[in-house]
Amino acid sequence: EVQLLESGGNLVQPGGSLRLSCAASGFIFNNFAMSWVRQVPGKGLEWVSGIGSFGGTTDYADSVKGRFAISRDDSKNILYLQMNSLRPEDTAVYYCARYPRRVPVAGSRLDYWGQGTLVTVSS
Amino acid sequence: QSVLTQPPSVSGAPGERVTLSCTGSSSNIGADYDVHWYQHLPGTAPRLLIYGYSHRPSGVPDRFSGSQSGTSASLAISGLQAEDEGDYYCQSYDSSLGNYVFGTGTKVTVL
């Protein structure tokens, strides 16, 4: 059974940093591209970032480009999201999700999701 | 703001059929990028419901069906059940933004 378990969410001050983790199990992690998607409380979903298998390609939403960095440790089956220069508008539940392929291409779906971890940016 | 527009809410009695719309433009749905639908029930992880407009992953009941026409897509839920209450999102890709995009979301209420 595919399982994705996010952790690392916390309360952080504006301008601060936080690293999210997503532990994957139930599938061959390095065969799949992965993604982060967030949901502001009471709002819709927003794609944040994606990474190809073996970390070959990375991509970011304009809203986080230059501040967030996605990475993966295939030896530990863990996906990361390093978030720097955090802003109040980054407050959201962050989900990790799997693409059903090695490289995220335009039009790709996300076939498995975790339950999310809450990041709150506030002073 | 999302480039895919969904009605904020849809409701129906148990057993009824409801249809959720997802309206895009020529740079996403109209550009032939696939549309996918997700179900997000309270307290659970989002779940892929329909992919590539009309395909169901294994385990998804055939009460759920998808279609597309022009710059819009639709999700139909037949035989509405209480367990279907939750939020539903469409998703595609937008060539102008160069990003994956989600719809604004529709809350389904079973009366």
Side-chain angles (χ1 to χ4, degrees), chain B residues 38-111:
Chain B
Y38 301 90
Q39 177 191 59
H40 193 190
L41 304 180
T44 69
R47 172 195 185 193
L48 177 65
L49 208 58
I50 295 286
Y51 67 94
Y53 292 113
S54 60
H55 302 281
R56 283 185 305 275
S58 63
V60 174
D62 60 5
R63 304 187 293 106
F64 297 92
S65 61
S67 63
Q68 177 264 349
S69 178
T71 57
S72 295
S74 296
L75 172 72
I77 309 175
S78 303
L80 197 62
Q81 299 180 3
E83 66 203 47
D84 299 332
E85 272 207 345
D87 298 321
Y88 292 77
Y89 295 90
C90 58
Q91 177 242 316
S92 186
Y93 183 87
D94 190 278
S95 58
S96 295
L97 297 174
N99 269 349
Y100 301 90
V101 289
F102 288 90
T104 48
T106 296
K107 183 174 184 61
V108 171
T109 301
V110 182
L111 301 172

Side-chain angles (χ1 to χ4, degrees), chain A residues 79-96:
Chain A
L79 175 72
Y80 298 104
L81 185 67
Q82 177 68 43
M83 303 186 295
N84 300 325
S85 303
L86 282 161
R87 305 167 179 168
E89 55 265 36
D90 295 319
T91 294
V93 174
Y94 285 74
Y95 298 96
C96 85

Side-chain angles (χ1 to χ4, degrees), chain A residues 26-100:
Chain A
F27 64 101
I28 302 174
F29 185 64
N30 60 23
N31 278 356
F32 294 88
M34 299 295 295
S35 173
W36 288 97
V37 177
R38 68 185 180 184
Q39 182 174 32
V40 172
K43 301 293 185 181
L45 299 168
E46 178 190 16
W47 177 84
V48 172
S49 181
I51 185 168
S53 65
F54 300 106
T57 59
T58 60
D59 199 8
Y60 301 91
D62 286 345
S63 57
V64 306
K65 200 169 292 184
R67 301 188 299 123
F68 289 13
I70 190 171
S71 62
R72 58 192 296 160
D73 185 335
D74 289 343
S75 68
K76 297 180 180 178
N77 290 355
I78 299 179
L79 175 72
Y80 298 104
L81 185 67
Q82 177 68 43
M83 303 186 295
N84 300 325
S85 303
L86 282 161
R87 305 167 179 168
E89 55 265 36
D90 295 319
T91 294
V93 174
Y94 285 74
Y95 298 96
C96 85
R98 190 186 82 166
Y99 292 100

